[in-house]
């Protein structure tokens, strides 16, 4: 069982930046995939980005490519989502998730553990 706790959400103006953090406990195995998803009111949960706990492989949704980056700090067991050039359509609850499998999935059903979410609101 992996516990995930997100932090770093908040209110920001269009064009601003936020960095979300996801603290994992205990430390995920090297094969885990760590993902970020988001869900806006009335919409399906959608994939944002993912990174393998070991190695450098990453994946991004087309809607955030070039604006968001994902990284991890293995020493602190934290995965980060750096969000730049934020837009009102980025407004959502952002969730951290962990997948025990070895391949990156963009489907929520592929992930085994979830955090409680953190709200990101981008004002126009």
């Amino acid at each position: 069982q992996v516990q995930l706790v997100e932090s770093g959400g908040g209110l920001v103006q269009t064009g601003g930046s936020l960095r979300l953090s996801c603290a994992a406990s205990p430390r995920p195995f090297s094969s885990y995939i760590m993902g970020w998803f988001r869900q806006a009111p009335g919409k399906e949960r959608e994939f944002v980005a993912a990174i393998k706990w070991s190695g450098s492989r990453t994946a991004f949704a087309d809607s955030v490519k070039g604006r968001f980056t994902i990284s991890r700090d293995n020493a602190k067991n934290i995965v980060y989502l750096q969000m730049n050039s934020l837009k009102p359509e980025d407004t959502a609850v952002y969730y951290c998730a962990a997948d025990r499998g070895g391949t990156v999935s963009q489907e929520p059903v592929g992930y085994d553990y979830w955090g409680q979410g953190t709200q990101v609101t981008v004002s126009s």
Side-chain angles (χ1 to χ4, degrees), residues 15-74:
S17 298
L18 282 175
R19 188 177 76 163
L20 305 184
S21 299
C22 172
S25 178
R27 179 175 178 169
F29 291 110
S30 59
S31 62
Y32 275 41
I33 304 297
M34 304 299 296
W36 285 97
F37 289 77
R38 65 187 182 186
Q39 188 167 17
K43 294 189 176 181
E44 299 278 327
R45 190 168 296 190
E46 64 174 2
F47 172 79
V48 177
I51 187 170
K52 195 166 183 180
W53 190 257
S54 65
S56 59
R57 184 177 180 183
T58 59
F60 295 91
D62 289 342
S63 59
V64 305
K65 281 181 181 176
R67 300 188 298 122
F68 290 12
T69 58
I70 187 170
S71 62
R72 67 181 188 279
D73 185 329
N74 286 8

